[in-house]
Amino acid sequence: MTSNRTTAGKKYLVLLAHLGALITMGAWGTSFLSSKILMQDGGFTPVETFIYRFTAAYLLLLALTFRKILSLSWRDELQFLVCGICAGSLYFITENYALKYTTTGNVSLLASISPLFTTILMGIVFKTRIKTGEIIGSIVAFAGVGCVVFSSGDTLEIHPKGDFLALSAALSWAIYTIVVKRLIPHYSSLFITRKLFFYGVLTALPLLLLQHEPYHLHLLFDFSQPQYIMNLAFLALMCSAAAYLIWNEVMKILGSVTASNYLYLQPIVTLVAAYFVFGEHVYLLGYIGCALIIGGLVIADKLNLDKKLKK
C-alpha cells in the first residue's frame, strides 16, 4: 500500500513538473512583448532592460531568503557566478545585441539550439549515454522551430558576427543547465535563483556604467505612462522570479535533458502571442512547425530505440 502511494505521489510530482515547464514556456515565450515595449517604445537599452528586471526579481527573492547569504563553499560560490553569467548577463545581452548584427529569424533559430547543446554536454560532462530518441526528437523539434521562425517570410542569411552571438547565447544557457545540475541537490530553488540574479546583475553593471545612451529609469516612475512599470513588473515577477524558480524545480524533477527540450516550445508561444497582440498572421508553415515541435518533444520523451535495438 505504501509503495503504491509513493508511486502515485511521484507520478503526480512529475505531472506537476510538466505543467510547470509549460507555464514557464508561456512566460518566457511572451516576455518578448514586454521587452519590445520597453526597448522600442521607451528607448531602454538591452542592458538596462536586463538589469532592471533582474534587480527587481533579486530584491524580491532576497526578502524571502535573507537569512542565508553565502553558499556552503567558495567552489559553489564560483559555480553560482557561472550560472549568473550564463543564464543571466551573457545570455540576455548576447542575444539582444545579436539582433543588431543579424536577422531576427537567425537569432530565434540559432538561440533555440540550446537543448541540443545541453544533450551533448550532458553526455560529455556526466558520461551519460545519449538516447537515440532524444537526438531524433531534438532534431525534429529544431526543424519545427525553423518552420515557425521562417513562416512569416524571413530568409536565412549568414551574418557571422550576429550569428556567432546568437550561438553564444544558446551555448551559455546549455552551460548553465550543466552547472546548476551540480547545485540543485544541495540548495533550494529559491537560493539558487537568487544567487543567479545577483551575479547576473553584478556582471552586467560595468556595461551599464559604460553606456553612452541616457538612462531611462525615470520612465518607470512616470505614472502618466504606466505601460513601462507594468511591463517591467511582468518581466521581473513572472518571467524572472517565478519562471526561474519553477524552471529549477522542473529540472530537479524531470532532469536537465527532458526539461531543456521544453525550450523548443517558446517559438510556438511567441507565434500565438504575436497573433493575438500584434495581429501577425500564422501561415501553413507555422502550423507545420508547431506539429513538428510537439512531435519532437513526444519522440524525445517516449522513444527509446536503444532498448529496442538490444532486444
Side-chain angles (χ1 to χ4, degrees):
M1 183 67 71
T2 304
S3 178
N4 291 336
R5 288 180 179 177
T6 303
T7 302
K10 287 182 178 178
K11 288 182 178 179
Y12 180 69
L13 196 63
V14 169
L15 182 62
L16 283 180
H18 284 293
L19 179 60
L22 291 174
I23 293 173
T24 304
M25 292 308 103
W28 287 345
T30 55
S31 65
F32 87 100
L33 300 173
S34 294
S35 296
K36 186 174 183 179
I37 290 172
L38 290 174
M39 290 190 286
Q40 290 192 4
D41 298 347
F44 290 76
T45 65
V47 177
E48 274 188 292
T49 304
F50 166 75
I51 286 182
Y52 295 160
R53 68 179 273 192
F54 264 48
T55 299
Y58 170 74
L59 293 175
L60 172 64
L61 297 185
L62 181 63
L64 300 174
T65 59
F66 63 90
R67 293 181 179 178
K68 184 177 178 62
I69 300 299
L70 295 176
S71 56
L72 300 175
S73 68
W74 285 109
R75 180 181 178 183
D76 287 354
E77 202 70 29
L78 181 61
Q79 292 185 82
F80 280 119
L81 171 62
V82 174
C83 287
I85 294 173
C86 291
S89 54
L90 180 63
Y91 175 77
F92 283 97
I93 292 171
T94 53
E95 188 176 59
N96 285 324
Y97 277 106
L99 293 169
K100 289 188 173 184
Y101 303 109
T102 189
T103 63
T104 302
N106 282 28
V107 173
S108 300
L109 183 66
L110 294 173
S112 69
I113 205 171
S114 177
L116 195 54
F117 280 154
T118 299
T119 302
I120 295 170
L121 287 178
M122 282 289 293
I124 295 173
V125 176
F126 295 102
K127 309 298 182 183
T128 57
R129 185 173 182 177
I130 302 174
K131 298 177 182 177
T132 307
E134 291 173 347
I135 295 295
I136 295 175
S138 292
I139 293 172
V140 171
F142 182 69
V145 171
C147 292
V148 171
V149 168
F150 299 113
S151 63
S152 60
D154 288 343
T155 58
L156 181 62
E157 302 173 1
I158 298 176
H159 300 276
K161 188 173 183 179
D163 295 345
F164 175 76
L165 286 172
L167 278 174
S168 297
L171 181 59
S172 70
W173 186 270
I175 293 173
Y176 154 70
T177 304
I178 299 302
V179 175
V180 81
K181 179 179 172 62
R182 298 179 181 275
L183 298 169
I184 283 175
H186 308 292
Y187 300 93
S188 69
S189 294
L190 268 172
F191 186 81
I192 291 172
T193 308
R194 193 202 76 203
K195 297 291 284 187
L196 184 160
F197 290 161
F198 172 76
Y199 283 117
V201 171
L202 186 66
T203 52
L205 274 176
L207 294 176
L208 182 65
L209 296 176
L210 293 173
Q211 181 175 300
H212 297 298
E213 299 180 48
Y215 300 129
H216 301 83
L217 190 61
H218 65 281
L219 290 177
L220 300 175
F221 303 97
D222 183 357
F223 297 106
S224 64
Q225 304 181 80
Q227 67 270 27
Y228 299 124
I229 187 64
M230 289 176 63
N231 281 282
L232 181 71
F234 173 71
L235 288 172
L237 300 178
M238 186 61 200
C239 302
S240 296
Y244 273 82
L245 275 173
I246 295 171
W247 187 247
N248 285 327
E249 283 295 316
V250 168
M251 285 197 293
K252 184 186 297 184
I253 298 169
L254 299 183
S256 301
V257 173
T258 301
S260 293
N261 282 332
Y262 268 100
L263 294 172
Y264 287 124
L265 289 177
Q266 283 191 73
I268 295 181
V269 177
T270 301
L271 186 75
V272 174
Y275 172 78
F276 285 105
V277 177
F278 296 127
E280 296 182 4
H281 295 290
V282 181
Y283 298 97
L284 177 61
L285 191 60
Y287 291 114
I288 294 173
C290 292
L292 287 173
I293 291 172
I294 295 172
L297 291 177
V298 172
I299 290 172
D301 186 48
K302 302 296 184 183
L303 181 64
N304 191 347
L305 292 178
D306 298 316
K307 287 185 178 179
K308 292 182 180 179
L309 289 173
K310 286 180 179 179
K311 290 182 177 180

